[in-house]
Amino acid sequence: MRTSPMLEHLMEALRCLPGVGPKSAQRMAFHLLQRDRKGGLQLADALSKAMTEIGHCKECRTFTEEDVCNICNNPKRCENGLLCVVESPADIAALEATGQYSGRYFVLMGHLSPLDGIGPSDIGLDVLDFRLQRGDVTEVILATNPTVEGEATAHYIGELCREHGVSASRIAHGVPMGGELELVDGTTLSHSLLGRQKLS
Amino acid sequence: MRTSPMLEHLMEALRCLPGVGPKSAQRMAFHLLQRDRKGGLQLADALSKAMTEIGHCKECRTFTEEDVCNICNNPKRCENGLLCVVESPADIAALEATGQYSGRYFVLMGHLSPLDGIGPSDIGLDVLDFRLQRGDVTEVILATNPTVEGEATAHYIGELCREHGVSASRIAHGVPMGGELELVDGTTLSHSLLGRQKLS
Ligand SMILES: [Zn+2]
Ligand SMILES: [Zn+2]
């Protein structure tokens, strides 16, 4: 748009969104300018707040604007001594939606991937180590994705649990191999929680 | 994300973008938070500037942050007396890219659509009427989309030109019927400009 450097800049900026190329950036910019300026301004506000104020929970590493998220802060969620380890905050949303789990979480924000240089401390296993030492976790449920990396990560954390004398289980049947946890339907996910198998 | 109302709000706000559902909104929010906070902040800034400062050119109605856009402001662009009428600012970009047109534009920001209550003044034909009266336009090139509404709009504007004794032509062969102008390749579009046919 040579008639508007500001519009050109907006189309460029929209391309930071995954899956947005030049054509969809133009479509989005025109749509907002012609039909939804209010929505565009609300998005600007939500973005700048989220980018500056959302951090990670000190306890579980999920996204939150608080120091400690409201799941970790809820005393009822530590009564059963369960800690469910997941790869991403989206997995928490999926597990919460089943209504089958009332323990706490630990979010790796990824998985072990030695070839990409992602080792234990990059996925917060030093923090997890500290939590296992603290003694309030009686069982770790390994809910990493059923991919090669997810399995390897679960195995690694299983060993860590064994060192600390903490019981570890892996969510099992129901989750299709090679799939992603957050895409699984609630019933399947409920089954995989109930049918978890002891590792150590 | 019950652990972050701010993140929930961001995912909601992202859905003002066309083609973005709950799943892609989540994917976009996580991507920005985990990998591109700087890009997210730049987008916030570009959005708020664009939504508040971009208006329409007084002369041609295209998007611009100036009173009059830099095409209308360029004295060289009125030397040939041509005025090309298009439906959307994206069409200007497509026509400029051909390098075959050096006149001015008029952007309807839509087309006549009586069933949707969109009449002549909704697409700026009162402004166009004024411009034709002014006498500096010698030929109007009707480059609306080759759809039913685009054809009807071109016909209506052709009549308007006749009333003002201004010659009108319709871009013709090359643009596939039922297609959208902005999606046509440059060569086809060049041909359709050169092969325009006189209406009145
Ligand atoms: Zn937490
Ligand atoms: Zn203009």
Side-chain angles (χ1 to χ4, degrees), chain A residues 57-62 64 67-73 105 131, chain B residues 3:
Chain A
C57 172
K58 273 182 188 168
E59 288 284 307
C60 74
R61 302 180 87 229
T62 196
T64 181
D67 260 15
V68 174
C69 78
N70 58 1
I71 292 181
C72 293
N73 240 338
Y105 294 97
R131 285 195 68 171
Chain B
T3 62

Side-chain angles (χ1 to χ4, degrees), chain B residues 56-62 67-68 72 83 85 104-109 119-137 140 156-157 160-161 164 166:
Chain B
H56 295 275
C57 172
K58 274 182 188 168
E59 288 283 307
C60 73
R61 301 179 88 230
T62 196
D67 260 15
V68 174
C72 293
L83 185 74
V85 177
R104 291 188 173 176
Y105 294 96
F106 188 83
V107 186
L108 302 171
M109 291 284 168
S121 68
D122 300 307
I123 59 170
L125 296 191
D126 43 350
V127 182
L128 181 61
D129 192 73
F130 177 77
R131 287 196 66 171
L132 295 179
Q133 245 170 62
R134 216 166 53 184
D136 52 345
V137 174
V140 167
Y156 188 98
I157 300 172
L160 198 69
C161 293
H164 287 283
V166 173

Side-chain angles (χ1 to χ4, degrees), chain A residues 1-7 9-10 13-14 16-18 20 23 26-28 30-34 36-37 39-44 46-54 56 62-65 69-71 88-90 93 96 109 182-183, chain B residues 1-7 9-10 13-14 16-18 20 23 26-28 30-34 36-37 39-44 46-54 56 62-65 69-71 88-90 93 96 109 182-183:
Chain A
M1 292 296 101
R2 57 197 291 178
T3 62
S4 170
M6 215 173 261
L7 174 54
H9 185 233
L10 173 58
L14 280 163
C16 74
L17 300 172
V20 176
K23 274 287 167 191
Q26 193 186 65
R27 197 161 48 95
M28 287 172 169
F30 285 6
H31 172 85
L32 294 178
L33 283 171
Q34 279 186 265
D36 196 9
R37 291 199 185 218
L41 283 173
Q42 283 168 343
L43 176 55
L47 271 170
S48 81
K49 278 200 186 117
M51 296 302 118
T52 50
E53 292 178 36
I54 294 177
H56 295 275
T62 196
F63 290 129
T64 181
E65 51 269 34
C69 78
N70 58 1
I71 292 181
S88 129
E96 288 293 295
M109 291 283 169
E182 66 172 282
L183 304 176
Chain B
M1 292 295 102
R2 55 196 293 177
T3 62
S4 171
M6 215 173 260
L7 174 53
H9 185 232
L10 173 59
L14 280 163
C16 73
L17 300 172
V20 175
K23 274 287 166 192
Q26 193 185 65
R27 197 160 49 94
M28 287 172 169
F30 284 6
H31 172 86
L32 294 178
L33 283 170
Q34 278 185 265
D36 196 8
R37 293 200 182 216
L41 284 174
Q42 284 169 343
L43 176 54
L47 270 170
S48 80
K49 278 200 187 118
M51 296 302 119
T52 49
E53 294 179 35
I54 294 177
H56 295 275
T62 196
F63 290 129
T64 180
E65 52 268 34
C69 79
N70 58 3
I71 292 180
S88 130
E96 287 294 295
M109 291 284 168
E182 66 172 283
L183 304 176

Side-chain angles (χ1 to χ4, degrees), chain A residues 145-163:
Chain A
N145 288 327
T147 55
V148 176
E149 296 88 353
E151 293 288 350
T153 306
H155 180 77
Y156 188 97
I157 299 173
E159 290 297 307
L160 198 68
C161 292
R162 209 159 55 94
E163 285 169 27

